[in-house]
Amino acid sequence: MDMELLLPLLSGQAEGPPVTNVMFLKTHKTASSTVLNILYRFAEKHNLSTALPAGGRVHLGYPWLFLARYVEGAEEGSTGTPRRFNIMCNHLRFNLPEVQKVMPEDTFYFSILRDPGYQLESSFTYYKGYVPAFRHVKTLQAFLESPERFYNDSLVVSNAYARNNMWFDLGFDHNAPPDEGYVRARIADVEQRFQLMLIAEHFDESMVLLRHLLRWSLDDVVAFRLNSRSARTVAHLPPESRELARRWCALDWRLYDHFNRTLWARLHAELGPRRLRSDVARLRARRQELTELCLQDGAPQNQAQITDRLLRPFQSGEADILGYNLRPGLDNATLRMCRRMVMPELQYMAHLYALQFPEKPRKAIPLLEE
């Protein structure tokens, strides 16, 4: 019986037809760019339609609640109803009735969460010059010692990154008091709509379960880490400051704590410890194989070191965002695969947009026009 369970893993194939209608709520600073790359690659590989931002936009109306008209081509349905798409994964603020206008009824919904003690630190680095609550404080630690001095809850949209950002992305009120009844009701709403919530701290285990539920192949969910920062731009907060961050983002903490526990319960119930260990090991081994095949020096580089301008990631705030150089001398098929795996999200979005809407003007990517 154990060998029967392992056969699909050993072959790298999932059983049954793959799920092709997928909506990923791309939360902020949660390893979501890596997940987006997985979905973009799957869409391109299978010639699936993707719900991309309309015109020159790079997101689906964020931070405003999502509307179907933010999607390119959504209003071009043949019967006067909005066009439906297979894959939706760009940043948006979740608004189910509008999402349902552009996604099929059998869509698989999932998202990703991260411990707010770490998620807030990443947001502070990326958005310090943009978010009013962060502009006039030198460090996140100083902010967390007295956040009310810097945070104005009337600036709902512009301060969204500064408190309960994942809760906000789900379409909820990120300034609401964390009353028990309210929190439980909103978590129940999430459970009712989303079939899976990934956990960034357990990314590989999350990918194993996602692959199992979507019936995708192993290579479909293997990815390199994208949009990561150099070590020098990561603040290492002491434990007491991380606890302050969790208290300040109490709604996010309750959300994360709940779905972290349910992830592990599902992993053990649906896969079991032995299959889970085997599948995670295979995922990591395949990533290492592709690292050695694709990447020069086998590690991410800062922007100045990246020779191909198309592979240079967008830089935000005080973060030093890393990218990759590919090994020279790759054959055409391997080069194509490797480039897709390391392509930053803005460039990949523009690439898919050009494929899907060849009659429309190309999306302008500022860092490629310098």
Side-chain angles (χ1 to χ4, degrees):
M1 183 178 296
D2 288 340
M3 284 305 298
E4 289 177 0
L5 289 174
L6 290 173
L7 279 175
L9 305 178
L10 294 172
S11 67
Q13 300 296 318
E15 295 179 333
V19 175
T20 55
N21 295 328
V22 177
M23 191 278 167
F24 172 60
L25 177 62
K26 188 178 187 295
T27 50
H28 290 78
K29 317 327 309 167
T30 57
S32 62
S33 293
T34 303
V35 181
L36 176 135
N37 178 268
I38 289 170
L39 293 169
Y40 275 174
R41 284 162 34 213
F42 186 84
E44 185 175 14
K45 174 183 175 182
H46 296 279
N47 196 29
L48 301 175
S49 60
T50 307
L52 298 170
R57 299 183 182 92
V58 296
H59 51 67
L60 294 169
Y62 195 89
W64 311 108
L65 283 170
F66 172 76
L67 297 175
R69 62 181 174 85
Y70 296 152
V71 176
E72 186 68 77
E75 299 176 354
E76 298 173 4
S78 58
T79 62
T81 58
R83 175 183 172 186
R84 302 296 178 96
F85 297 85
N86 299 115
I87 304 291
M88 182 180 231
C89 54
N90 284 78
H91 278 307
L92 60 83
R93 190 176 182 209
F94 194 63
N95 184 10
L96 180 60
E98 291 290 312
V99 170
Q100 289 175 322
K101 290 180 180 180
V102 295
M103 296 301 293
E105 290 184 7
D106 64 349
T107 294
F108 181 95
Y109 289 77
F110 76 107
S111 188
I112 187 168
L113 303 172
R114 184 182 183 186
D115 183 335
Y118 295 88
Q119 190 271 346
L120 188 65
E121 181 275 324
S122 183
S123 291
F124 184 86
T125 304
Y126 274 82
Y127 304 119
K128 189 178 186 309
Y130 169 76
V131 176
F134 293 157
R135 280 188 198 137
H136 305 296
V137 60
K138 188 173 182 180
T139 66
L140 178 59
Q141 194 164 345
F143 173 82
L144 290 170
E145 288 171 358
S146 54
E148 293 82 4
R149 284 182 53 199
F150 307 101
Y151 184 85
N152 183 347
D153 60 12
S154 68
L155 302 176
V156 175
V157 171
S158 54
N159 268 336
Y161 298 110
R163 190 177 199 186
N164 295 311
N165 189 209
M166 294 179 288
W167 196 265
F168 179 88
D169 288 350
L170 283 160
F172 304 143
D173 178 4
H174 65 136
N175 287 321
D179 297 333
E180 187 65 23
Y182 169 74
V183 171
R184 288 189 178 187
R186 298 293 76 76
I187 288 177
D189 290 340
V190 176
E191 287 187 315
Q192 184 176 2
R193 171 43 53 194
F194 290 83
Q195 285 94 319
L196 178 63
M197 300 297 279
L198 312 178
I199 297 297
E201 285 80 3
H202 308 295
F203 191 85
D204 289 346
E205 292 83 357
S206 294
M207 287 298 104
V208 164
L209 185 54
L210 180 69
R211 178 193 170 224
H212 170 73
L213 295 174
L214 295 181
R215 300 187 296 273
W216 287 8
S217 73
L218 179 62
D219 274 9
D220 288 334
V221 299
V222 175
F224 301 135
R225 187 181 177 194
L226 299 180
N227 209 34
S228 62
R229 293 173 289 158
S230 65
R232 70 175 183 82
T233 59
V234 177
H236 298 284
L237 295 177
E240 55 271 22
S241 293
R242 297 220 183 272
E243 186 58 34
L244 287 175
R246 292 170 187 142
R247 291 179 190 175
W248 173 246
C249 297
L251 296 170
D252 272 0
W253 172 248
R254 287 291 304 275
L255 187 73
Y256 171 84
D257 182 57
H258 174 85
F259 285 104
N260 184 33
R261 286 185 282 106
T262 59
L263 172 70
W264 285 100
R266 290 187 68 181
L267 283 166
H268 285 93
E270 299 195 33
L271 298 178
R274 184 177 299 181
R275 179 171 176 178
L276 174 61
R277 287 194 299 270
S278 176
D279 214 354
V280 168
R282 179 162 177 80
L283 177 71
R284 291 171 177 169
R286 182 57 175 155
R287 183 190 297 125
Q288 183 59 37
E289 289 175 2
L290 291 172
T291 296
E292 295 171 2
L293 174 66
C294 294
L295 304 184
Q296 188 174 23
D297 302 323
Q301 309 290 328
N302 64 44
Q303 181 173 242
Q305 297 172 305
I306 299 172
T307 55
D308 186 341
R309 295 177 70 232
L310 184 61
L311 301 182
R312 292 175 185 170
F314 176 73
Q315 302 295 309
S316 177
E318 298 180 354
D320 177 19
I321 303 172
L322 304 177
Y324 296 94
N325 281 318
L326 297 178
R327 289 183 57 195
L330 299 173
D331 63 75
N332 289 339
T334 303
L335 177 62
R336 176 185 172 86
M337 176 193 69
C338 294
R339 282 177 67 84
R340 297 297 185 265
M341 292 188 71
V342 302
M343 190 176 292
E345 61 185 274
L346 290 181
Q347 289 92 310
Y348 210 151
M349 178 192 60
H351 168 70
L352 290 182
Y353 187 90
L355 291 178
Q356 197 161 298
F357 304 103
E359 75 284 359
K360 295 184 181 292
R362 299 291 182 92
K363 282 192 181 287
I365 306 299
L367 72 162
L368 299 181
E369 299 178 347
E370 297 173 352

